[in-house]
Each structure stands twice: as structure tokens, then as C-alpha cells.
């Protein structure tokens, strides 16, 4: 069921709020019913294999299986703090465990995250003093 | 609208805004006019309405945190190892609140000292260290060394603060210790904070 080349090559900037939509198909290329499935997602650095982001559908704020489940679509919710310090090319994968306990990778691909510079900035200051003797 | 509020834990004691007052480092836990010997570190921290002006701390003075070594401090009870357990929130020099009407995440936050005019210029005539409480840090970060040309809002010369997830209010607890590098009043001496939010 793995679909290669689910790549995000542009328009993904560090600190963005983003939703990655994934459609799952069975081995016959039919939409897969995600009812009762647990979905996991990971993003990692391709050379160091350090995982930089992980999400799970056990928390609907992280991964949401969209209704109706028969459409086979889940959404990975990326928050600004998830990627604010990332920059460069990463790999991504998503897997599901269905109601029968079958565990399978359903999506892989590359993700290009670009630095973002145009973010709202705030600064402030206070005065200090000291007397040396 | 996004707003910063700088607070200290003093007076009754309780947290309150420093408003337009000045953060004063002195050689006494009770007298903000007592000077600090060159090369020595603060024995008192206060709020003054000038340089230093009159003490605005109230009943209890601002908590003092004195640099002892890269991993140690003394807040009046003897030398202790820097840690969140040993230096709690109410023992920190400052609490900086960042609020916004919308729930926002903060990133690239940093705390620094500067000359009061150009944020990338170090404060004049002082050496200073800072520590963020609540993030499992264990060492001081040098934020100013005028003789070594260290300080200002420059990478590697400031305290990087924790990224914080979406909320309408963000809080940073910071301890500061300072030492004069020369005789005289240090007036080109401010603290700054900056961050991005989304």
C-alpha cells in the first residue's frame, strides 16, 4: 500500500502551520477504510536518521482521520513549533495499523523545508544600572 | 496586540511590573546605592526610579542571584548548583510575559544586554551572565563582556530562550548576575528581549 514520491518540494517553510493530507489505497488500488486504524507519521533527517518530528492519531490534534473513513484520508497537522528550527531536506513516512493488527507503511516521500524570515517579530527592553568601585 | 511585561518578585512579595523603573545591581541586599567592587558580582538586585534613584522594591527586595561559577550561584544561602530545583521561579531576577489576543507560538526568542542605543552593541563596562529557569539548563550563559566585545543581540552572545507552543500567554523566567569592569556608574546598560511568533 506504500505510495512513493509523496513529496513536498516547495511552499513548506519553517514555522508554517500545515496540514499534510494522505490518501490510503489497498493493494487493489481501492480507497482504504481507515475506521479503527491507528496512524503514525514521522519525519527524519536522511543522513543522520535522526527523527525530527513524530505524530500519532491517538491524538486527533496530531493526526486526524477524516470522515467518512471510507475515503481513506487522514490529515497530519503540523504546528509552527514542529518545524520552526528545521531547514533542508527530510524524509517522511506514514504507517497504519488496522483493526486486525496489520502494520504497513502507506506513504513515503521527501520534504523540503525552507527557512522562513518573514515572521512577526516583537522586542522590548528595560533599563539597568550598576555602580562600580 | 502582542505585548511584553517585565516583572519582578518583590514587595509583599508578589509578581509586579517594573513599569518604568530601572533594574539595579548593587553591592548590598538592602541598599541599591551600594557600589560593587570591580570584578566582583552583585550582592543585591533592586528596582530604582533612576540611576539608581530611590528604591522601588517595597517590603522585600528583588531576588538576587549571584554568579559563582559557570554552574553555580548564590542567592543568599550559600553556593548552590544551578538547576530548576535549586533556583525556583520566585527566586529569579525577572519574569517576562509575552501576551497576544490570539493563540501564538513563539520561537527564536532571546535575551541579551546592550548599550541602550544599538541592540547589537554590548553594554558598556560590565560583564553579565543569564540563566533561563524551567528548561532544565545547568549553566550560566555569558551575555556581556565589554572588554571581550561580547554582548548585544548577536548569535552566540545572548541567552537563547525556549520555543513555546501556541498560547495567548508566554512566560520566561530569567536569572541575571552582573559585575562592573571599571569604576563608575554603568548607564549604557539595558536588557532586551526579542522573539518571532506565529
Amino acid at each position: 500500500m506504500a505510495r512513493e514520491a509523496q513529496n513536498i518540494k516547495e511552499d513548506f517553510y519553517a514555522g508554517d502551520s500545515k496540514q499534510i493530507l494522505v490518501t490510503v489505497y489497498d493493494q487493489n488500488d481501492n480507497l482504504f477504510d481507515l475506521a479503527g486504524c491507528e496512524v503514525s507519521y514521522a519525519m527524519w533527517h536522511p543522513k543522520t536518521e535522526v527523527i525530527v518530528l513524530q505524530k500519532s492519531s491517538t491524538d486527533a490534534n496530531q493526526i486526524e482521520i477524516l470522515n467518512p473513513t471510507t475515503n481513506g484520508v487522514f490529515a497530519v497537522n503540523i504546528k509552527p513549533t514542529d518545524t520552526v528550527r528545521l531547514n533542508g531536506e527530510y524524509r517522511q513516512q506514514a504507517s497504519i495499523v488496522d483493526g486486525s493488527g496489520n502494520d504497513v507503511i502507506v506513504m513515503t516521500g521527501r520534504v523540503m523545508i525552507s527557512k522562513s524570515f518573514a515572521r512577526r517579530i516583537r522586542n522590548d527592553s528595560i533599563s539597568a544600572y550598576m555602580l562600580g568601585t | 496586540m502582542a505585548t511584553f511585561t517585565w516583572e519582578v518578585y518583590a514587595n509583599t512579595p508578589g509578581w509586579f511590573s517594573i513599569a518604568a523603573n530601572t533594574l539595579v545591581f548593587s553591592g548590598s541586599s538592602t541598599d541599591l546605592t551600594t557600589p560593587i567592587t570591580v570584578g566582583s558580582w552583585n550582592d543585591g538586585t533592586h528596582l530604582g526610579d533612576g540611576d539608581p534613584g530611590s528604591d522601588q522594591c517595597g517590603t522585600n527586595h528583588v531576588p538576587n542571584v549571584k554568579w559563582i561559577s559557570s554552574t553555580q550561584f548564590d542567592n543568599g544561602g550559600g553556593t548552590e548548583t544551578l538547576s530548576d530545583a535549586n533556583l525556583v521561579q520566585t527566586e529569579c531576577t525577572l519574569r517576562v510575559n509575552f501576551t497576544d489576543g490570539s493563540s501564538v507560538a513563539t520561537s527564536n526568542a532571546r535575551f541579551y544586554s546592550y548599550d541602550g542605543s544599538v541592540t547589537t552593541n554590548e553594554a558598556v563596562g560590565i560583564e553579565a551572565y543569564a540563566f533561563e529557569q524551567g528548561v532544565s539548563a545547568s549553566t550560566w550563559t555569558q551575555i556581556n563582556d565589554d572588554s571581550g566585545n561580547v554582548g548585544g543581540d548577536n548569535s552566540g552572545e545572548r541567552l537563547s530562550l525556549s520555543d513555546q507552543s501556541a498560547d495567548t500567554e508566554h512566560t520566561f523566567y530569567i536569572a541575571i548576575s552582573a559585575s562592573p569592569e571599571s569604576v563608575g556608574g554603568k548607564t549604557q546598560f539595558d536588557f532586551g528581549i526579542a522573539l518571532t511568533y506565529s
Side-chain angles (χ1 to χ4, degrees), chain A residues 85-106:
Chain A
R85 299 225 181 258
L86 302 184
N87 176 36
E89 184 173 297
Y90 300 86
R91 294 277 299 178
Q92 63 174 351
Q93 260 186 8
S95 69
I96 63 169
V97 176
D98 65 18
S100 300
N102 298 308
D103 191 343
V104 62
I105 302 294
V106 297

Side-chain angles (χ1 to χ4, degrees), chain B residues 60 124 173 187:
Chain B
N60 291 281
V124 178
Y173 292 89
T187 57

